[in-house]
Structure formats: structure tokens, C-alpha cells
Amino acid sequence: MAVQGGGMDRFLVKPDPGDLGAGGEESAPSGGASGGQPSPNWRHLRAQGLNCDYTVLFGKAEADEIFRELEQEVEYFTGALAKVQVFGKWHSVPRKQATYGDAGLTYTFSGLTLTPKPWIPVLERVRDRVCRVTGQSFNFVLINRYKDGCDHIGEHRDDERELAPGSPIASVSFGACRDFLFRHKDSRGKRPRQTVEVVRLQLAHGSLLMMNHPTNAHWYHSLPIRKKVLAPRVNLTFRKILHTKK
Ligand SMILES: O=C(O)CCC(=O)C(=O)O
């Protein structure tokens, strides 16, 4: 994971031509069905190699209920799993993390091979809604909990070998609204190879951000520190990971 830096330049969200605002027409990103729920209005974010779709999937009352249940039910890592080594020194991860998923899956985390906890009803509820509206399937979720705006995640790409090639990542947020930045891989560091504007958005309570292929091959993302944010936030990133051969 790389350190974040540099400025933020621009808020880029391309409205869908069919997006009529609240109560407008649906524009599903790919083969989804709303399954009795109101159809989401998608906003399509596009830039060089960036392909994302954003919508508010859960209304306030439902998002509040899910957030409460997540706060009660999710069991976060403790001990060594809540630490990260940077240049040989151990630090506490500046947020809490947990993983849940299908039986039989393993994944690598901080150099350790781990198995996710079995699905719990609140996570199945969110996962199933995301699957319905996107037409995608997911077998794993990484949960990040930010107690306030001091908790954060630095610039990184979700390009782990365990991810099914070409599969999207579905990021669902509850609680405090936070800024979220994408930075192009050639536009980082002191001497960038090219200047590509930062793509900046805000992830609202109950929102879904679909990070579609090839976004993660070209863009780093981060959730920067925002000291004015006092409330907690929980983010779920649903992924499709490969079963390792035994
Ligand atoms: O909390 C967020 O929105 C970002 C989480 C994230 O970057 C990740 O799970 O890879």
C-alpha cells in the first residue's frame, strides 16, 4: 500500500443521460434487476481506464437500520491482525477491519493465509441487494470501520492475485459521508509520467460504488483524513475471489 499525497483537483461524475434525478428512470450498469425495490439512478464515472458506477442504493431508514445492525454484529480483527508493518515498524491500522465470506475460501492478509468468517444475515442482505441490481455475484466481503474522520485508508489498488480476473468490486457505505479519491498510477510521486486529474467523489450513507474492470489496474484509491468528520462510517467491499487449488 502506498502513501497518499498531492492535491485534489476535480469532482468528476458524468450524469447518465437517462438520469432524471430522484424518481427518474433506471440505468443499470450491466444486466441487473431491481427485484421489487425502486430502481436506482446510476451515475457513470469515466476517465482514462476508470470505469465506475455510483448510486444511492438504500434509502435513509433502511440504511440506518443496516448501519445499526452492522455496529452490533460485525466482529473486527484484534491483536496482530489489527497491525501493519511499514518499513520494519509495526503500527495500528488506522481503522478496524473484518472479513466474511463463503466456506472454503482462503485469502492472504498481511502475509498470513486466513479464512473469512461465515456470512451473517445483515451482510447477506446487503450482498443480495447488490447482486440483484448489478447482476454480479460476490463470495467475500472486506469491512472497514472508520470511527471518525481521523481514521482513513491510504492510496492503494485492489489488485490482489486472489481476485477473479476482470471481476468488479462493489463498495457499499453506511454512516458518515466521506471523500473518496482516485489517482491515476502514472500521476503519482514527485515526477509523474503524465498529469491526469484526480477523480474525487463523496460516498454517502447507503451508497454503492461499482469499481469495474479495468479501474483497479490503472487507478489507486484512498479515503483521506477529514478531521471535521466526527461520526463513524462502515464500508463493505464485496469481491469475487478465486478458490485456491488444494
Ligand atoms: O472505505 C472505503 O470506502 C475504501 C475501502 C477500500 O479502499 C478497500 O476496501 O480497498
Side-chain angles (χ1 to χ4, degrees), residues 100-235:
Y100 288 78
D102 287 3
L105 285 181
T106 59
Y107 68 100
T108 313
F109 188 83
S110 292
L112 301 169
T113 301
L114 301 176
T115 49
K117 288 182 190 291
W119 293 104
I120 54 175
V122 63
L123 296 174
E124 288 174 326
R125 173 180 179 180
V126 179
R127 179 200 63 195
D128 292 351
R129 183 79 68 84
V130 172
C131 291
R132 242 188 349 258
V133 299
T134 62
Q136 300 287 339
S137 63
F138 301 96
N139 56 12
F140 179 88
V141 64
L142 169 66
I143 306 177
N144 281 292
R145 181 182 190 276
Y146 307 84
K147 67 177 181 324
D148 57 26
C150 291
D151 277 1
H152 61 282
I153 189 163
E155 276 189 356
H156 67 284
R157 287 187 290 180
D158 295 330
D159 56 357
E160 295 90 355
R161 273 179 301 137
E162 285 115 337
L163 286 175
S167 62
I169 293 180
S171 166
V172 188
S173 298
F174 297 98
C177 182
R178 292 282 297 262
D179 290 339
F180 185 82
L181 309 185
F182 283 107
R183 191 185 308 277
H184 193 276
K185 68 177 187 328
D186 292 345
S187 212
R188 305 173 70 238
K190 282 199 180 125
R191 284 208 231 133
R193 286 170 52 173
Q194 51 167 328
T195 306
V196 185
E197 283 178 286
V198 168
V199 174
R200 181 184 182 201
L201 60 154
Q202 294 191 316
L203 301 181
H205 184 41
S207 68
L208 164 63
L209 174 69
M210 289 300 293
M211 292 188 264
N212 303 308
H213 184 72
T215 305
N216 265 302
H218 301 287
W219 292 78
Y220 285 70
H221 58 266
S222 64
L223 190 94
I225 293 173
R226 290 290 180 260
K227 288 191 175 155
K228 288 185 180 155
V229 176
L230 303 176
R233 168 176 181 271
V234 175
N235 174 261

